[in-house]
Amino acid sequence: MKRRTPVLHRLGRALAACVLAAVATVVAVTATGGAAHADGCYTWGRMLSSGMTGEDVRQLQIRVSGYPGYGARITIDGAYGPATRSAVIRFQQAYGLPADGIAGPQTFNQLYALQDDDCTPVSFSYAEWNRCNSDWSGGAVSASTARFNALVSMWKLQAMRKALGDVPLYISSGFRSYSCNNAVGGAAGSRHLYGDGVDLVGSPSLCRLAQQARNHGFSNILGPGYPAHDDHTHLGNSAGQSWSAPTCGI
């Protein structure tokens, strides 16, 4: 029995060391970015701030793309520049978080609460954005690009929804292939063909939707008073700014 005691002591010390190492790892990770929270979509592993680059920055940019400020847009390039910092601040302010422009545990936890396992924001889905076909093919860009463009636009709508008081937003049309676009008489260069175009109907009013969209990164806003848009507000992400909703003062 005595001969076994050193072995048990060694096993005990080894087990304790493993436990301490695991605790230290969790503490260290939490201190540097709050990644102890594992998310089904994406988990950040470090705190993010100005000057940093990487895929984790790009993932953050996607989710705060709806907070660029009036008439502005965020470039989703994986570089944490002034525009990204400002968007993070606006996001933090919207959710009552310390608004320091640094993405840490509280910011990440709020983002985790807002995203589903497929990375779409909780209030929108790929299924409602694409009623044209199941594989996102046949548009003006590749299927993967159309799907990605839709994802970014969904996050912009999520920000817009929050600003409007967390009211539901009703999508009548999202992605379209050329055949789907032709079938409904869509414009030849419609943003629907790129995946980022979306038509909203119902409440809030069409003018309220068009007016609010100016703050959430949409460069293409067409609404009441623009030809064939008196029954919906269209939002998209064209290369240049194109806003026209004369009835709404836009």
Side-chain angles (χ1 to χ4, degrees), residues 121-143:
V122 293
S123 301
F124 303 97
S125 69
Y126 285 121
E128 68 178 327
W129 203 277
N130 180 4
R131 300 188 181 105
C132 174
N133 59 42
S134 61
D135 59 8
W136 298 81
S137 65
V141 292
S142 69

Side-chain angles (χ1 to χ4, degrees), residues 7-243:
V7 174
L8 293 176
H9 284 173
R10 287 196 297 273
L11 288 173
R13 287 196 299 270
L15 180 59
C18 289
V19 171
L20 288 174
V23 171
T25 298
V26 171
V27 170
V29 169
T30 301
T32 58
H37 183 304
D39 187 77
C41 162
Y42 185 85
T43 303
W44 283 271
R46 59 174 179 163
M47 189 175 293
L48 300 176
S49 59
S50 296
M52 300 178 75
T53 61
E55 175 60 19
D56 49 2
V57 175
R58 194 181 78 92
Q59 291 292 331
L60 175 65
Q61 289 171 326
I62 292 170
R63 289 155 182 78
V64 299
S65 60
Y67 292 90
Y70 183 90
R73 283 184 288 173
I74 297 171
T75 301
I76 300 174
D77 58 1
Y80 205 119
T84 298
R85 181 179 183 278
S86 295
V88 170
I89 289 174
R90 292 186 185 94
F91 174 84
Q92 293 168 332
Q93 290 171 332
Y95 286 92
L97 304 175
D100 56 6
I102 298 171
Q106 292 185 69
T107 299
F108 294 140
N109 285 336
Q110 183 60 66
L111 290 173
Y112 295 145
L114 286 172
Q115 65 185 17
D116 287 327
D117 286 352
D118 65 355
C119 299
T120 58
V122 293
S123 301
F124 303 97
S125 69
Y126 285 121
E128 68 178 327
W129 203 277
N130 180 4
R131 300 188 181 105
C132 174
N133 59 42
S134 61
D135 59 8
W136 298 81
S137 65
V141 292
S142 69
S144 60
T145 297
R147 186 179 170 93
F148 175 77
N149 290 344
L151 177 65
V152 175
S153 284
M154 283 187 222
W155 279 101
K156 292 182 179 184
L157 276 192
Q158 187 70 36
M160 184 169 151
R161 188 182 192 274
K162 176 68 174 176
L164 289 168
D166 283 319
V167 297
L169 299 181
Y170 302 98
I171 297 173
S172 62
S173 182
F175 167 75
R176 301 174 193 159
S177 66
Y178 278 108
S179 60
C180 289
N181 192 57
N182 292 338
V184 298
S190 171
R191 295 308 305 180
H192 293 280
L193 296 165
Y194 295 82
D196 56 65
V198 60
D199 293 344
L200 301 177
V201 296
S203 61
S205 72
L206 299 181
C207 279
R208 185 75 182 95
L209 292 169
Q211 292 161 350
Q212 187 63 46
R214 296 174 295 181
N215 300 293
H216 300 289
F218 290 104
S219 57
N220 185 215
I221 302 173
L222 305 174
Y226 184 81
H229 284 71
D230 287 336
D231 61 351
H232 69 279
T233 289
H234 167 84
L235 306 177
N237 297 301
S238 54
Q241 184 171 295
S242 176
W243 294 353

